[in-house]
Amino acid sequence: MNQERHKGQPGHQGGAGAPDNRLRKELPEERPPSAAPRGEPEEKAPPVLTGRQRLLQSLWPPRVSRAQLIVALLLFGLGFGLAVQVASHSEGDTALRGARQEDLVRILDELDDRTARLEEEQQNLEGQRSELENSSDQAEEARRQTLAKERQLGVLAGTVAAEGPGITVTVEDPQDAVGADQLLDAVQELRAAGAEAIQLNGVRVVAGTYLTERTDGDAGVSVDGNKIAAPYRFKVIGKPQDLEPALNIPGGVVQTLEKEQATVVVERRTKIVVDALRAAKRPDYARSSAR
Amino acid sequence: MIAVLGLVVGVVVGLLVRPEVPAAVEPYLPIAVVAALDAVFGGLRAMLDGIFDDKVFVVSFLSNVVVAALIVFLGDELGVGAQLSTGVVVVLGIRIFSNAAAIRRHVFRA
């Protein structure tokens, strides 16, 4: 390369005709082309062409020569490498490709730190999640138990309907001789025999139920202030095998009622529905002392 | 003309084929390309000067590429690859500019 240049420049200088200044050698070099037809032939035999003419001449017409083919091969390699490099550089993340090694190491370190931090955070969050899941499971369990308890207590308190095996007791009282005390005896007997839910003529019988004679002179009794009259129908949930004998024992409820000319029919049922309800009442004075 | 065709065909083939650059060659390819560009500009200038010699061109082209790759390799081994690459690119850029200036004077007479 440098060889060429050094060879070339003096040649032109000579052709241009001795420039006095080395720095300005380029200028004389340019002049000769215009004056080439006259100036150059003095020294060189072939007609000297300007650079532009030489360029055009070499471009057209195309000549196939060994030199051209070799140069074409080299330029093919150059073009190929150029295109490959450009293509490989323009695709992919160019931000990292040009980065120096120290920068890359720093970026890698930062990424590692970040990964560690995020993993720590992930562990924290997963711990929190499992804690919350546990506690919500526990809360769910507690809620379920409370609900079950509420149902059990609701059956006792008469706030929910109940169903199960039991008996029905029907007391016909044509003489209007059955009073509140006999009915209360029947209820007590049933309770003692393990009755869990009792309904008397559509009135739920609970712990605080009271039975009184009617004050208006009509036949019948009043249960918790609800006036009822014969026939008295008990619906009782409990173990039928316990309840029925409890009523039928000698000198028991049935015999006492029959002495009053009433007829008593006791039937066992596999399914009794006690659906009379009672509003839950908050006690005015009594407070739970538990817990 | 054949040479220009060679260049064009090389670019087209390179763009169409899109070969994966081997990792071993990857650091040297850009410098080699720049060095080859320098050789090509030098050859063009020589042609305009009327002193183009294909043998000189071939030798200068290949030696440019090899020396550039060698410098980068050496720089990588010494741990100053990035700086040395920059230096090579700067030097080759200066040469390309000066050659381009000479070509410009020939072609545009300015």
Side-chain angles (χ1 to χ4, degrees):
Chain A
M1 288 293 304
N2 280 338
Q3 285 270 317
E4 298 163 16
R5 219 169 293 154
H6 284 301
K7 261 194 301 186
Q9 279 157 357
H12 273 271
Q13 264 177 337
D20 13 333
N21 193 342
R22 266 194 77 81
L23 285 176
R24 288 187 56 80
K25 68 182 173 186
E26 311 268 15
L27 278 179
E29 198 181 346
E30 290 168 24
R31 293 253 169 76
S34 53
R38 268 179 296 136
E40 299 277 330
E42 295 169 11
E43 288 181 1
K44 291 180 182 176
V48 173
L49 305 165
T50 64
R52 201 189 286 191
Q53 283 164 332
R54 274 196 216 98
L55 187 65
L56 289 175
Q57 203 178 46
S58 62
L59 278 180
W60 201 259
R63 291 183 303 271
V64 179
S65 67
R66 194 174 62 94
Q68 285 271 341
L69 286 177
I70 289 173
V71 172
L73 192 66
L74 289 179
L75 286 180
F76 172 83
L78 169 63
F80 187 76
L82 196 70
V84 168
Q85 176 62 21
V86 168
S88 74
H89 192 69
S90 58
E91 73 196 16
D93 47 351
T94 52
L96 289 179
R97 187 175 289 272
R100 287 179 302 144
Q101 198 172 358
E102 306 91 83
D103 290 343
L104 289 176
V105 170
R106 189 175 45 77
I107 291 171
L108 194 62
D109 278 351
E110 281 174 4
L111 283 178
D112 281 347
D113 283 354
R114 199 171 143 79
T115 309
R117 275 206 312 277
L118 289 176
E119 272 173 359
E120 202 176 321
E121 195 179 330
Q122 187 196 14
Q123 278 178 359
N124 281 343
L125 290 175
E126 273 174 358
Q128 278 183 23
R129 190 184 65 173
S130 62
E131 250 173 53
L132 287 173
E133 272 175 356
N134 280 344
S135 66
S136 79
D137 279 357
Q138 286 171 2
E140 177 70 19
E141 177 64 23
R143 211 165 58 83
R144 230 156 37 75
Q145 286 180 3
T146 307
L147 213 61
K149 191 103 176 172
E150 187 197 351
R151 289 217 190 88
Q152 291 168 12
L153 293 176
V155 171
L156 292 180
T159 54
V160 297
E163 67 170 52
I167 59 170
T168 60
V169 183
T170 308
V171 180
E172 296 279 0
D173 183 21
Q175 309 281 318
D176 192 16
V178 175
D181 50 347
Q182 283 99 339
L183 291 178
L184 184 59
D185 283 347
V187 169
Q188 300 286 35
E189 197 60 53
L190 288 168
R191 278 177 179 156
E196 289 167 353
I198 304 171
Q199 176 178 333
L200 172 55
N201 280 28
V203 180
R204 188 73 167 260
V205 178
V206 294
T209 296
Y210 59 92
L211 291 143
T212 52
E213 300 293 340
R214 281 170 68 163
T215 50
D216 51 9
D218 287 342
V221 296
S222 151
V223 181
D224 287 342
N226 298 295
K227 298 177 176 70
I228 60 170
Y232 306 109
R233 298 175 201 283
F234 288 85
K235 284 173 157 185
V236 186
I237 294 178
K239 194 177 177 185
Q241 296 91 322
D242 290 348
L243 294 171
E244 196 186 359
L247 296 178
N248 286 328
I249 53 170
V253 172
V254 173
Q255 280 193 2
T256 312
L257 286 171
E258 278 170 351
K259 244 189 273 172
E260 304 283 346
Q261 308 303 313
T263 59
V264 180
V265 180
V266 179
E267 289 173 48
R268 295 188 189 191
R269 297 276 175 81
T270 54
K271 187 182 176 190
I272 297 282
V273 175
V274 174
D275 50 4
L277 296 184
R278 177 174 287 270
K281 248 179 79 181
R282 189 188 182 81
D284 288 335
Y285 303 104
R287 291 287 178 266
S288 169
S289 62
R291 97 170 66 162
Chain B
M1 192 60 205
I2 304 286
V4 176
L5 278 179
L7 179 66
V8 172
V9 171
V11 170
V12 170
V13 170
L15 285 178
L16 290 183
V17 175
R18 292 254 174 144
E20 195 67 23
V21 184
V25 187
E26 206 176 358
Y28 309 119
L29 186 58
I31 299 294
V33 166
V34 175
L37 269 180
D38 174 57
V40 168
F41 273 90
L44 195 59
R45 176 181 177 177
M47 197 183 70
L48 290 170
D49 285 343
I51 55 164
F52 180 79
D53 179 15
D54 58 322
K55 204 172 83 182
V56 172
F57 176 74
V58 170
V59 170
S60 77
F61 186 98
L62 293 179
S63 71
N64 257 15
V65 169
V66 169
V67 168
L70 205 63
I71 289 176
V72 174
F73 170 75
L74 207 60
D76 277 347
E77 294 298 306
L78 292 175
V80 288
Q83 292 88 331
L84 214 48
S85 298
T86 311
V88 170
V89 170
V90 167
V91 170
L92 291 177
I94 291 171
R95 286 172 50 121
I96 288 174
F97 263 104
S98 66
N99 281 337
I103 292 165
R104 187 199 68 218
R105 284 193 204 97
H106 274 296
V107 175
F108 301 109
R109 303 203 179 107

